[in-house]
Amino acid sequence: MVNISKVKVICRTTRVFKPVTDEKTNEILGVRLFGEGAHEIINIITVAMNARLPYTTLRDQIYTHPTLAEGLNDLFAMVD
């Protein structure tokens, strides 16, 4: 489960976030995002996909707290 502090602050905790990655290259092939802030988070993921960055780039990034984007750490930690 992706733990995002910001969704607790805004009282909207219903969500489904699921990453799809390539095991060999670690590239992000896609994501399923449903919930508060999905429209913001998809932009960050799209940049990583277009640049063909490994999912670990987003997993290991430091994000501002509390923001919806900081959930990317947990989202891509699920891949490991």
Side-chain angles (χ1 to χ4, degrees):
M1 175 182 238
V2 178
N3 186 15
I4 307 172
S5 299
K6 182 71 173 187
V7 297
K8 293 175 186 170
V9 171
I10 60 177
C11 299
R12 300 217 176 163
T13 57
T14 302
R15 66 198 175 279
V16 175
F17 290 2
K18 181 179 179 182
V20 179
T21 59
D22 185 302
E23 281 186 12
K24 294 177 183 169
T25 65
N26 287 336
E27 287 182 33
I28 304 165
L29 302 177
V31 292
R32 176 175 287 165
L33 301 175
F34 172 78
E36 190 68 32
H39 65 287
E40 295 175 15
I41 296 169
I42 193 62
N43 295 324
I44 297 168
I45 296 171
T46 300
V47 169
M49 290 174 66
N50 289 341
R52 302 188 75 165
L53 298 173
Y55 74 90
T56 54
T57 302
L58 296 182
R59 182 197 64 195
D60 299 339
Q61 177 65 36
I62 297 171
Y63 300 97
T64 306
H65 173 79
T67 62
L68 297 167
E70 72 180 320
L72 291 171
N73 297 123
D74 288 344
L75 176 66
F76 288 107
M78 295 187 320
V79 175
D80 293 336

